[in-house]
Amino acid sequence: MRYTSRSDLKHLRAAARIAGQTCDTAIAACLPGVNTLAIDALVNQTLASARSSAPFKQYQEGARRFGFASCISLNDEVVNRPPSSEVVLQTGDLISIALGAEIGGMHAKAARTGYLLPTGVTTDPAQMPETIRPLIRGVRSGFDTLKALPEAPASLGELLQVIPDAAKAHGVVVLENVGGCGTGKRLHEPPETPNQPTDDYFKVPLLAGTPLVLMPMMALGTDAKTKAHEDGWTLVTQSGELSAHWAETLLVTETGIELLTAS
């Protein structure tokens, strides 16, 4: 979907700013001994203080409603883990938090992954164990590539190709059948933005005014497969290897790519 009205773009940027800042706040609040439901309560509070709804709470698959403001996935959990008072954070956890925001009917999404030290969480790969650093650099470096482009890529496929290129550069694997989407008046809009673009995506032109969510999801090792957790929401790595993801809402403009949720 394309959005060209000043009002829609103003609200999109506001929702994206709130999503990014709320995600940063949530990941910074992770401490050993804190349960993930408490982190979700903070997300709810932060969104409400910014006059944003919590669109993840309304997400439905069939008759099931997600009911939480955020997904908080740990270690081999790839994405979509519901928060729980029974899931208590521990030193050494790899924590991925994803959430959405909505302002004036426009939506945005963001996700961050951090490593839990005894004193709190870090998103800086240099402060993490050496074995984890390539994973975090892999999910983040594609966005650095996009920021440095002098103009927007010609096609959606060229835009998405930064994800597998980043994984290859850092020696990690892109997980199969996962990715992002468009966003705007609805939280999830066309087009899909898969982390492994097929040839057809290189035929889709990138048009100014198109908001997209890119969500690289990667794992250590070489196994790209995931499987469903028994809770019916969470995806986990089939191999049991650690996974991470990072998401930004971006806007295609006449002059390039604008990362709206970037810290």
Side-chain angles (χ1 to χ4, degrees):
M1 298 284 292
R2 294 180 68 199
Y3 294 93
T4 57
S5 82
R6 293 178 65 181
S7 176
D8 284 342
L9 294 176
K10 174 185 174 181
H11 290 135
L12 173 69
R13 288 187 169 93
R17 183 180 67 253
I18 292 165
Q21 291 174 348
T22 302
C23 211
D24 291 340
T25 296
I27 203 81
C30 293
L31 292 166
V34 174
N35 67 66
T36 58
L37 189 61
I39 300 299
D40 187 67
L42 174 63
V43 171
N44 267 298
Q45 178 184 358
T46 305
L47 290 174
S49 296
R51 302 184 182 276
S52 168
S53 68
F56 274 28
K57 295 173 76 171
Q58 307 305 320
Y59 178 74
Q60 285 197 218
E61 286 189 359
R64 298 185 308 152
R65 188 166 70 94
F66 186 67
F68 298 97
S70 60
C71 306
I72 306 177
S73 308
L74 307 181
N75 303 319
D76 66 332
E77 298 166 354
V78 179
V79 71
N80 296 343
R81 177 66 186 263
S84 170
S85 61
E86 297 180 359
V87 178
V88 178
L89 302 177
Q90 301 177 41
T91 298
D93 279 339
L94 197 60
I95 307 164
S96 297
I97 299 179
L99 56 86
E102 174 271 327
I103 291 289
M106 295 296 286
H107 296 78
K109 295 171 72 175
R112 306 284 186 261
T113 295
Y115 178 78
L116 192 54
L117 300 166
T119 54
V121 79
T122 181
T123 57
D124 181 359
Q127 297 180 28
M128 301 180 189
E130 190 171 350
T131 54
I132 296 176
R133 293 174 192 170
L135 181 58
I136 304 304
R137 288 172 176 149
V139 296
R140 295 182 64 172
S141 64
F143 296 110
D144 294 331
T145 299
L146 292 177
K147 283 192 291 186
L149 292 177
E151 59 185 8
S155 72
L156 180 57
E158 291 175 61
L159 177 76
L160 298 175
Q161 187 60 39
V162 301
I163 298 173
D165 286 352
K168 183 177 180 180
H170 293 283
V172 294
V173 64
V174 178
L175 294 166
E176 292 180 353
N177 302 318
V178 290
C181 58
T183 193
K185 295 288 188 183
R186 294 175 295 163
L187 184 62
H188 301 112
E189 292 190 349
E192 294 183 352
T193 56
N195 290 333
Q196 295 175 314
T198 59
D199 290 346
D200 287 345
Y201 284 88
F202 290 85
K203 302 172 186 175
V204 178
L206 271 187
L207 302 176
T210 304
L212 300 167
V213 180
L214 265 60
M215 186 176 281
M217 302 182 199
M218 302 178 188
L220 296 177
T222 59
D223 188 346
K225 296 188 180 301
T226 63
K227 61 182 181 180
H229 187 272
E230 60 186 17
D231 65 16
W233 291 105
T234 312
L235 284 180
V236 301
T237 58
Q238 179 172 273
S239 63
E241 289 278 13
L242 293 175
S243 71
H245 66 275
W246 200 275
E248 306 283 10
T249 297
L250 58 84
L251 179 66
V252 183
T253 72
E254 296 289 354
T255 57
I257 300 296
E258 186 178 349
L259 297 184
L260 303 181
T261 47
S263 303

